[in-house]
Amino acid sequence: MLPWHQYLLGLLFVITGFLHFQKPKIYLKIMPPYIPAHKTMVLLSGILEMILGFMLLNPPTQQIAGWGIMILMLLFLPVHFYMLQEKKASLKLPKWALIVRIPLQFFIMYWAYFYV
């Protein structure tokens, strides 16, 4: 049996990945203009988040998932900086929340590191 925190992280990734399909407009709003094929990238990142979430819940694949999550969080950092810089991408979140999201990415990377 896996530790509860591993189930939690896996479930968070499955849910957030699913939200890319439920609420794609939100994710499209936060895409920096220099990233190509916004709709495709939103859907691919959602699929990847769900796959990594399920892989984290499977002991034989949890190590790959841990590395994948850490890489994905690094790849998402430009989106968080873009949200902080561009009002239209901020989703009307308060500035402090946008700032907190950046170290949160590193916390998630640290959390995922426990499973590699």
Side-chain angles (χ1 to χ4, degrees):
M1 186 155 158
L2 302 172
W4 66 269
H5 45 85
Q6 189 168 349
Y7 286 110
L8 179 60
L9 185 59
L11 185 60
L12 286 172
F13 268 79
V14 171
I15 291 169
T16 56
F18 182 73
L19 288 174
H20 284 67
F21 296 91
Q22 287 294 107
K23 308 277 185 187
K25 289 181 182 179
I26 291 172
Y27 295 94
L28 289 170
K29 286 180 185 178
I30 66 173
M31 290 289 284
Y34 55 83
I35 295 177
H38 287 179
K39 189 171 185 175
T40 301
M41 290 297 194
V42 167
L43 298 178
L44 283 176
S45 61
I47 290 168
L48 190 53
E49 284 184 29
M50 288 189 292
I51 289 171
L52 290 171
F54 284 123
M55 286 177 66
L56 193 65
L57 300 176
N58 184 24
T61 59
Q62 77 180 32
Q63 188 173 17
I64 296 167
W67 285 112
I69 289 169
M70 289 187 283
I71 291 166
L72 196 61
M73 293 299 97
L74 278 176
L75 292 174
F76 286 172
L77 277 174
V79 172
H80 294 289
F81 285 113
Y82 179 68
M83 290 178 71
L84 188 56
Q85 294 170 341
E86 294 293 328
K87 184 126 176 105
K88 66 179 182 175
S90 70
L91 302 176
K92 299 180 182 176
L93 292 170
K95 195 108 171 157
W96 67 265
L98 295 171
I99 292 169
V100 166
R101 287 172 53 109
I102 294 167
L104 182 60
Q105 295 295 107
F106 291 99
F107 172 75
I108 293 169
M109 286 184 251
Y110 174 74
W111 189 359
Y113 185 72
F114 282 107
Y115 314 116
V116 298

